[in-house]
Amino acid sequence: LLAQVALVMAAGGMLLSYAGLYRRRVSFIRAQEVARSGRVALGLAALTLVLFAPQGRDTAIAAASVGLVSWFLLLVLERGMLREWIQVRRASGDFAAPVLVLGGAGVCDTVRFLDEHPVLGFEVRGVLSPRPDAPDPMPIPWLGPSTNVADAVARTAASGVVLDAATLTGGELSRHVRRLSTAGLHVHIASGLRGVRRKRISLIELADETFLNVAPLGLTRGQVIVKRAIDLIVGSLALLVLSPAMLIAMLAIKLNDGGPVLFVQERVGLNGATFPLYKLRTMVVDAEARLAELQDANQRGGPLFKASHDPRITGIGRFLRASSLDEAPQLINVLRGSMSLVGPRPALPSEVAQFDDELLGRLRVKPGLTGPWQVEARDLPSFDLYRRYDLMYAEDWSVGLDLVIIARTAAVVIVRLVTAVLPSRRREMGVLH
């Protein structure tokens, strides 16, 4: 048996390598990573079937079936937790690939995008372009025009270049790709498309030219039904599992100050309809009345609010927020149908009043307990990130995307819970409102 286990483990390592799961460009795309993890699990299940065949058909099928489910879940969970750890380190400046951004005078948007997303793992060390015409100073130094690439790479020790296709002509883009690739540099091309997910884009070749084909928007009634079924099944199981912890937390809140255990607040949902959102109370009873006192401490952009050291948060409240357990009562909202497990963050009426017509498009889908912004950028202050992720989800959501986000959220919650339990490692985390 030990020899069989050792053989399966060795084969697992080879299959992971063959599937490209040790490569940055594969692991960078979560849906692709999960799909390839599934193929690795299938390969290991097939190997298990062969190895256990001498012990009988029933034993071999049982071993392969259990192995298939176990390996897939372990791979998704392990890689999800590893991704979360890496992103925390990247947010602190570790594991970042040094790159330059090359483009035309309008390159500022791409520069700011990369600078605001440290978790992507790019450290922008300079910009190569005509003198950028930016309304505000850029956070990255300008290194001169695109003719200075070799000198700029030598000075900054960059390992790659990001080309801003939206600000370059087709001829310029082609010349830069050939020249940089020949020099042995990694080349990334920023297409300029905003809010369009990769699954809607395919590459096609027309007369030796590469074109991007973007599929139209549209969801089937079946997808909507499946999404609701996932909400009911996963939401019910999660509520059942979390109920003991919620009851203990409610008791601790009541014993702390004698106030209500639940915080109920009006939020805006599907098509602008309002609904009561439930959370475990983490602040003092008069927290809403004291909000105006803290506006100067707001660290968020736009209409959002967050203060890292909010004096209104109680002692037990800090633990509940750090572990995300305060959000658990929203599973009731999910089961009642006013929310979904995955969707844009449920906004306050006062926030929605400040949204422009484009951002109001997020109301086309139900708000979610978790979503792309919550797992990717909830600790970052930029309102532009909030806007980009919510609009992306509203336009391109799918059942597959929901499953990936649910798996990622499970890994995030486990990491946050472990961090909250270990005081020496505790970090101040961003909070949903």
Side-chain angles (χ1 to χ4, degrees), residues 190-316:
S191 68
L193 291 173
R194 297 286 188 262
V196 180
R197 287 190 61 79
R198 179 183 177 275
K199 70 181 183 65
R200 290 178 55 204
I201 301 173
S202 59
L203 293 177
I204 58 176
E205 189 172 312
L206 300 176
D208 296 324
E209 292 287 337
T210 302
F211 280 69
L212 296 179
N213 178 63
V214 182
L217 291 170
L219 295 169
T220 65
R221 179 173 176 79
Q223 286 178 301
V224 177
I225 293 174
V226 171
K227 181 177 176 68
R228 181 58 181 155
I230 293 173
D231 285 345
L232 292 174
I233 296 171
V234 178
S236 298
L237 291 174
L239 188 61
L240 181 64
V241 170
L242 293 175
S243 290
M246 289 173 59
L247 290 174
I248 295 173
M250 289 177 178
L251 179 61
I253 294 170
K254 178 60 72 172
L255 293 175
N256 182 58
D257 59 14
V261 297
L262 288 180
F263 175 69
V264 183
Q265 190 177 52
E266 185 181 54
R267 297 295 179 104
V268 180
L270 181 65
N271 296 323
T274 58
F275 66 94
L277 176 138
Y278 305 108
K279 295 178 64 173
L280 292 178
R281 184 172 61 85
T282 59
M283 292 186 173
V284 294
V285 177
D286 62 342
E288 292 289 279
R290 295 171 55 185
L291 179 60
E293 305 171 6
L294 299 171
Q295 288 303 319
D296 291 341
N298 186 16
Q299 297 175 316
R300 293 285 190 205
L304 306 184
F305 177 85
K306 176 208 167 186
S308 293
H309 303 286
D310 195 327
R312 301 173 300 165
I313 302 176
T314 63
I316 182 63

Side-chain angles (χ1 to χ4, degrees), residues 43-113:
L44 291 175
L47 176 60
T48 301
L49 192 64
V50 173
L51 292 176
F52 279 79
Q55 300 183 27
R57 185 183 64 179
D58 292 342
T59 300
I61 292 176
S65 300
V66 172
L68 174 62
V69 175
S70 301
W71 289 316
F72 177 71
L73 292 178
L74 285 173
L75 276 174
V76 171
L77 182 61
E78 178 268 331
R79 295 185 73 85
M81 295 179 67
L82 177 62
R83 178 190 296 274
E84 184 63 21
W85 178 77
I86 289 175
Q87 290 201 349
V88 169
R89 294 290 301 273
R90 282 178 174 170
S92 302
D94 297 330
F95 306 145
V99 297
L100 304 178
V101 177
L102 189 155
V107 73
C108 305
D109 286 345
T110 296
V111 174
R112 288 199 175 90
F113 175 81

